[in-house]
Amino acid sequence: MLRSTLAIVSSLVASAAALDPVEAYGNKFFNKDGSQFFIKGVAYQLVPDDPLIDTNQCNLDAKLMKDLGANAIRVYHVDAGKNHDGCMKAFDDAGVYVMLDMDTFNTYIEPTKLYWNSSQFEKYAEVMDTFQKYDNLLGLFVGNENIAKKQDSPVAPFLKAAARDMKAYRDRKGYRKIPVGYSAADIQELRPMLQNYLTCGGNSSEIVDFFALNSYSWCDPSTYEQSTYDKLQEYGKNFPVPIFFSETGCNVPGPRRFQDQDAVFGKLMVNDWSGSMVYEWIQEENNYGLIEYGPPAKKNRRGNDAVGGFIRKGTPTPRNPDFNNLKTKWASLHPTGVSKADYDTKSISTRACPMSTSAGWWQVNGNVKLPTLGETKTGAFESSPSATADPSATATGGGGGGGGKTGDKSGSSTSGPKETGGADKGNNDKENSTDRPPALLGASFAALVLSLAILL
């Protein structure tokens, strides 16, 4: 009887501690109680296929993440056909929300192949179907660094079409308003136009619900101006949707002091930015890891416990001083923001759709008509006073949460620092990480060469 009573009490306590969904409203995230939510997150890809199916490992990592002070993780690749209940509960119990990339190795929206088709849509829908039931699902990405070179901007309307169709699918299925957004490479010749384009046009059904940035321009020791964070703030001021760093944490020259967090969560940026995610949880060849599971393994060893020569399973051990530096920094930062009841959305502003310029990096001329599902670009985009295009009828399918493996993808493309402005630049070794798709390495290398050429 006593054991039964204790079990009931324990269940009630666990239920009471469960996280409530976070919503995007205006340019901020809000908790259920109306308080503003700020992201203190970590990139967490651990293994190439899906890090959210090993419940025991998730429990071990979630416990240490709670000690670190993290309240969110970003996962670049999941297998929608697997069971994620254990891991999602482990992170929920630790107070950690989850953000997911919906693309797979075979469905990444590539700038060299301009289309958004039903195969891509259905795989995205499977991820949404599988994870929508978890209250600690914070948001979903339609893409990551798809636009990284001068010739890449024509893919932007396809990214916007993907956001439109996934939001329409979410609403048709009766799911809660899970935010759907995009994670961009920090390239100054593209970033301002891209973030404005993905949120312009005046139709809330087809813009992204948030815009995130992978930026490594603040390399300690640095300053707000030297790092070009002052420019990021200039472009992000009164932005129409939540904006945050989806990757950050330059490791050159090291150790990392994470002084950029003072700017992000302090008076310089806190009124417009919703936090940041530090790259990354596990130590790999790129040397960005906050933790490790043991000494490097033999290079020819493969499997879930060792990929790329690094153990990926077991009790996580902090790598210091980086781990403690971040823990100490986050513990000192307690932004309160604004309550939803006192928040006036009239303060935010939607920018005009950017126009293309002769020989410029941005090639999408204003508020062009968005592609329909299955459309392939064969000529110039058609200009339109309203970019609205009803999602194709084929977009009513998708998902059901099944499907098994979605491809041998090592996660979304993450190419590390490519910011071409500012004095301090980060290390571009993230192509050695498990969250990078092999098919895109060549393009990312080309982007690196181009960026270096600009710097020189």
Side-chain angles (χ1 to χ4, degrees), residues 314-397:
T315 302
T317 302
R319 295 186 69 248
N320 288 314
D322 285 14
F323 184 94
N324 276 339
N325 284 351
L326 182 57
K327 176 181 177 179
T328 301
K329 180 63 66 178
W330 275 348
S332 70
L333 299 169
H334 303 284
T336 55
V338 62
S339 70
K340 185 179 178 181
D342 296 330
Y343 175 51
D344 184 2
T345 57
K346 292 180 182 178
S347 63
I348 62 178
S349 59
T350 299
R351 281 68 159 167
C353 294
M355 305 297 291
S356 62
T357 56
S358 177
W361 286 52
W362 188 256
Q363 302 171 43
V364 181
N365 196 30
N367 193 31
V368 300
K369 184 178 180 181
L370 298 184
T372 56
L373 190 67
E375 181 177 345
T376 299
K377 182 178 181 295
T378 56
F381 288 106
E382 177 185 346
S383 296
S384 174
S386 173
T388 304
D390 291 334
S392 169
T394 58
T396 59

Side-chain angles (χ1 to χ4, degrees), residues 15-282:
S15 176
L19 294 174
D20 290 316
V22 168
E23 70 168 322
Y25 178 71
N27 69 347
K28 304 184 188 305
F29 291 115
F30 287 101
N31 294 300
K32 186 178 180 180
D33 64 4
S35 61
Q36 190 175 344
F37 178 80
F38 292 94
I39 296 170
K40 292 180 178 179
V42 179
Y44 181 77
Q45 189 55 43
L46 206 61
V47 294
D49 291 336
D50 189 340
L52 300 180
I53 57 176
D54 186 338
T55 300
N56 182 63
Q57 190 58 52
C58 288
N59 275 301
L60 292 171
D61 291 332
K63 181 178 179 181
L64 189 58
M65 283 183 191
K66 184 175 183 178
D67 180 62
L68 175 64
N71 64 10
I73 58 173
R74 178 186 181 180
V75 178
Y76 299 85
H77 178 56
V78 294
D79 185 338
K82 298 293 180 64
N83 187 303
H84 303 88
D85 291 350
C87 280
M88 292 301 287
K89 184 179 186 304
F91 288 113
D92 187 284
D93 290 344
V96 174
Y97 287 87
V98 178
M99 301 195 86
L100 300 172
D101 290 66
M102 288 185 284
D103 63 87
T104 70
F105 183 76
N106 296 319
T107 60
Y108 188 81
I109 303 173
E110 298 188 47
T112 56
K113 300 175 182 178
L114 297 179
Y115 57 79
W116 162 245
N117 62 30
S118 59
S119 295
Q120 293 167 307
F121 170 84
E122 287 167 4
K123 290 300 183 183
Y124 279 45
E126 286 179 5
V127 174
M128 183 181 288
D129 289 337
T130 297
F131 285 88
Q132 55 81 26
K133 64 182 177 181
Y134 303 115
D135 285 345
N136 60 329
L137 176 65
L138 178 57
L140 297 165
F141 295 97
V142 296
N144 180 66
E145 297 194 0
N146 306 66
I147 297 174
K149 303 184 297 299
K150 184 176 181 178
Q151 66 268 29
D152 288 351
S153 62
V155 80
F158 291 87
L159 295 170
K160 202 167 182 178
R164 173 202 65 201
D165 290 350
M166 296 318 302
K167 290 171 62 172
Y169 178 76
R170 173 198 67 192
D171 295 345
R172 281 195 304 273
K173 295 284 285 188
Y175 299 153
R176 64 179 172 88
K177 296 287 187 180
I178 304 163
V180 175
Y182 177 72
S183 175
D186 185 10
I187 300 177
Q188 66 178 15
E189 292 87 354
L190 290 167
R191 178 191 61 244
M193 287 73 74
L194 177 58
Q195 69 183 55
N196 290 348
Y197 173 74
L198 292 178
T199 56
C200 76
N203 189 336
S204 62
S205 68
E206 62 187 17
I207 67 171
V208 293
D209 294 324
F210 62 82
F211 182 85
L213 191 64
N214 298 341
S215 178
Y216 295 80
S217 65
W218 189 307
C219 300
D220 296 321
S222 190
T223 66
Y224 182 58
E225 293 78 18
Q226 185 182 24
S227 65
T228 71
Y229 269 43
D230 60 333
K231 297 299 182 184
L232 300 185
Q233 166 59 19
E234 178 183 333
Y235 296 129
K237 187 173 179 59
N238 296 326
F239 198 62
V241 299
I243 185 170
F244 62 92
F245 293 93
S246 43
E247 288 181 14
T248 189
C250 173
N251 63 357
V252 177
R256 295 186 286 181
R257 302 174 187 174
F258 302 103
Q259 293 176 336
D260 65 315
Q261 303 295 287
D262 290 315
V264 175
F265 294 104
K267 62 181 181 179
L268 293 172
M269 303 176 76
V270 74
N271 289 333
D272 297 292
W273 292 73
S274 293
S276 68
M277 291 193 168
V278 171
Y279 192 89
E280 64 172 322
W281 180 247
I282 185 175

Side-chain angles (χ1 to χ4, degrees), residues 304-323:
N304 284 339
D305 58 341
V307 176
F310 289 85
I311 302 295
R312 299 171 184 277
K313 193 170 186 176
T315 302
T317 302
R319 295 186 69 248
N320 288 314
D322 285 14
F323 184 94

